[in-house]
Amino acid sequence: MRPASCFIICLLTGISFHLSAQQLYMPRNVKQAIAKGTRSLNGMPGPHYWQNRGRYTISIIVQPPSRAITGHETITYYNNSPDTLRYLILRLILNVHKPEALRYMDVDSNWFTEGTVVDRVLVNGQNVDFENPRYHFTWQQLPLPDALLPHDSVQLTIDWHFTLARSHGREGVIDSTTFYLAYFYPRIAVYDDYNGWDRLDFTGYQEFYNDFNDYQLLVKVPKNFVVWATGELQNPDGVLQPEIANRLKASYQQDDVVHVATLDDMLQHRVTLPNDVNTWQWTAHDVSDVALAISDHDVWDAASVVVDSATMRRVSVQAAYNDTAADFHRAVDIGRYTLSWYSRMWPGVPYPYPKMTVVQGYADMEYPMMVNDATTSNLYFSQLVENHEIGHIYFPFYMGTNESRYAFMDEGWATTLEYWIGEAERGKEAADSFYKQFRITRWIHDPAQEEDLPIITPSNVVRGVAYGNNAYGKPSLAYLALRDLLGDSLFRKCLHAYMQRWHGKHPIPWDFFYTFNSVSNRNLNPFWNSWFFSNGYDDLALTQVKKAGKDVVITIKNVGGFMMPFDLVVQYARRQQRIHYSPAVWLQHPETFTIRLTSTEPIQSLYVDPGIFMDANMQDNSWKNISR
């Protein structure tokens, strides 16, 4: 953006200091959104911000062990944009299972199905021709008989069917009578203010981008099958035997774990009403998706936890798992602790939904109010995975970030929350060790070019280590460095402002960057450029130590370029001194930093300790006084 253009926008929006904001690279479509007033240079939604939404009523029939699923839905789609829409884009995510679909992942023969088959589509009650896609399989254009005008709505009725894949990943068969259903219904793609229709292919690799919608979900299953789903169960007395329903209701007010349905209950068919078919009814509001699990033998635990001390609001925490999974016997307790800690500590925002359900599957994957985690023999790791996946409730579900294009906006934060809560659960030393081993070591010790791609690189165009490290470890380090730079109080203020501004909306990276700039009243663009827009990495070098009178002058070179914090460890004859330096030291002089130490004691050695940030070359981080 030219300085003159930025000056005009600053005058119009009352921003006094944002000429500096032009220092960040900005895609043309984001510049256009700012010019149209849907985004702003202070990080707030612009005065003309809008987003579309839908109201979904979904009914599906599932009859395990048959993997055949049939569905019927009504969608009321609200066009809040200023644009006239002559067609919609339908997302058919399960078409990634079609043999000919584009995939960025290895699969075996259990993966393949015919995908989602759309049997009928009505638009405002009128039958329309719909051609199931023959290419770009996971989305399809749906022409509208009549254009959808701004601030108007359209109603779709869709019948469809699919076969659940035998594979068990983010969705599929867990065992012969335990299913996990996700992405199972045709949905309208996001139409947003900066990119228009979202036409990215789902390749099974990257994740998702959805509108905030309201859902009514009806799941018809045979007797003795229990359903767990996103949202709140509306008819417990209509599907559960009285004793089981009473246990479930009691768990809503209890801290202690209630065994809602034991293995014996399940095997003796004492859980559901004995109707041939039970219809489980769920509702969920202002969420980006719904998912569900079904089983006739998983056990069911539940309890609750207060997440808001001001209102004493409680959240239900539930778990569904095979009784042989030892780690899952603690899933509800771990979930209660996680929700309480996240609500009170970091991010310090009360958990926003009424429920969280932890399901034993295979995916280690998040969904609104649900996680699907694998069982492991290592309780430490199982706890960490549950921490991480529940953290996604804030990022991306509290704010509707575009996971497909900007994975670091959710995975980076979930990784950071995982580390912070790990410090509280296991102590700093254990949390540091695991974080370095699991999140940082592979990246920092791999000098390959793909490791150095900027974090801002769209996630949909990278794969392998470039995707993984740009989504998880590198942005997590950036967030940790940012907290170190700003200090806890200011960092929390900025983070809460960002979350409040964009709760229920669709933030993009520039909204995040500019919110922190404006709320902190600092030009953080050098920091953003270093961590998110450069080809940098973590590497500091202690290049020179010299005497200057009574002082010792130490020169630290930032070889890798990332504005990382570090400790200088000074070893004297009888004591050791550790001095911390925040990333602020690099803001004015990004390449080198000079430290002047005054001491009456001779220094025996110096060591630049990067801590959990690690260092690509530790061989040049130390100095020994050989003149003694």
Side-chain angles (χ1 to χ4, degrees), residues 339-599:
L339 293 183
S340 178
W341 198 92
Y342 286 163
S343 297
R344 291 172 170 83
M345 303 302 292
W346 295 103
V349 173
Y351 179 81
Y353 300 115
K355 191 189 67 177
M356 167 53 67
T357 302
V358 183
V359 175
Q360 181 205 338
Y362 292 92
D364 297 343
M365 183 66 189
E366 73 281 357
Y367 317 78
M369 300 185 233
M370 303 272 286
V371 299
N372 171 354
D373 287 348
T375 180
T376 78
S377 59
N378 183 338
L379 183 60
Y380 178 104
F381 188 75
S382 296
Q383 184 176 25
L384 178 138
V385 171
E386 188 171 337
N387 293 160
H388 179 98
E389 304 307 341
I390 291 177
H392 279 297
I393 293 299
Y394 295 99
F395 311 93
F397 299 137
Y398 188 78
M399 298 172 293
T401 59
N402 188 336
E403 301 173 83
S404 303
R405 292 182 187 274
Y406 302 116
F408 70 87
M409 295 185 74
D410 73 291
E411 295 295 356
W413 280 111
T415 301
T416 305
L417 291 175
E418 155 207 312
Y419 168 69
W420 285 336
I421 196 174
E423 288 184 299
E425 291 169 337
R426 298 176 287 275
K428 181 172 175 53
E429 184 177 351
D432 284 3
S433 175
F434 188 87
Y435 184 88
K436 289 191 288 187
Q437 174 189 351
F438 192 58
R439 299 300 189 187
I440 308 304
T441 296
R442 181 179 178 184
W443 162 64
I444 202 64
H445 292 134
D446 181 2
Q449 180 182 3
E450 55 265 33
E451 297 282 20
D452 295 338
L453 292 177
I455 294 172
I456 200 68
T457 305
S459 305
N460 57 295
V461 300
V462 292
R463 284 182 278 171
V465 295
Y467 178 92
N469 291 317
N470 272 8
Y472 294 83
K474 286 164 65 177
S476 176
L477 288 175
Y479 302 142
L480 295 174
L482 183 61
R483 178 181 171 185
D484 195 310
L485 172 65
L486 297 178
D488 280 4
S489 178
L490 185 55
F491 177 81
R492 186 183 296 273
K493 179 182 179 182
C494 294
L495 178 60
H496 283 188
Y498 167 57
M499 296 179 71
Q500 290 161 7
R501 289 175 174 186
W502 290 97
H503 172 44
K505 299 180 176 67
H506 291 310
I508 56 178
W510 291 266
D511 303 316
F512 166 67
F513 301 144
Y514 296 153
T515 289
F516 269 70
N517 281 5
S518 64
V519 175
S520 69
N521 199 29
R522 298 186 186 185
N523 178 12
L524 297 172
N525 289 345
F527 180 89
W528 306 130
N529 275 319
S530 164
W531 276 99
F532 292 90
F533 294 88
S534 82
N535 299 96
Y537 54 98
D538 290 345
D539 188 8
L540 304 180
L542 199 164
T543 58
Q544 188 178 65
V545 179
K546 64 181 181 181
K547 289 284 289 183
K550 295 181 179 180
D551 295 344
V552 175
V553 179
I554 304 157
T555 301
I556 311 294
K557 183 177 181 180
N558 193 338
V559 178
F562 277 172
M563 292 185 176
M564 57 184 286
F566 64 93
D567 286 355
L568 179 67
V569 181
V570 186
Q571 184 66 52
Y572 301 98
R574 296 183 179 180
R575 68 184 181 97
Q576 185 183 87
Q577 181 183 17
R578 180 177 287 268
I579 309 169
H580 182 71
Y581 294 92
S582 88
V585 302
W586 307 112
L587 291 175
Q588 298 301 320
H589 304 285
E591 296 182 359
T592 59
F593 175 59
T594 300
I595 301 169
R596 183 178 289 266
L597 293 180
T598 300
S599 176

Side-chain angles (χ1 to χ4, degrees), residues 45 73 94 129 171 302 305 311 334 337 363 378 428 526 616:
E73 68 181 349
L94 292 189
D129 292 332
E171 38 75 29
V305 61
T311 64
I334 292 171
Y337 180 85
N378 183 338
K428 181 172 175 53

Side-chain angles (χ1 to χ4, degrees), residues 58-62 69 162 164 170-172 174 178-185 217-221 226-231 280 282 289-295 320 355 357 359 367-372:
I58 303 170
S59 177
I60 61 170
I61 301 172
V62 190
I69 315 290
F162 67 96
L164 197 65
R170 291 170 174 168
E171 38 75 29
I174 297 175
T178 304
F179 296 168
Y180 198 93
L181 274 64
Y183 329 122
F184 58 88
Y185 58 96
L217 174 64
L218 287 77
V219 185
K220 298 182 179 183
V221 293
V226 174
V227 180
W228 299 268
T230 298
W280 297 65
W282 302 83
D289 202 357
V290 289
L292 62 106
I294 300 168
S295 181
K355 191 189 67 177
T357 302
V359 175
Y367 317 78
M369 300 185 233
M370 303 272 286
V371 299
N372 171 354

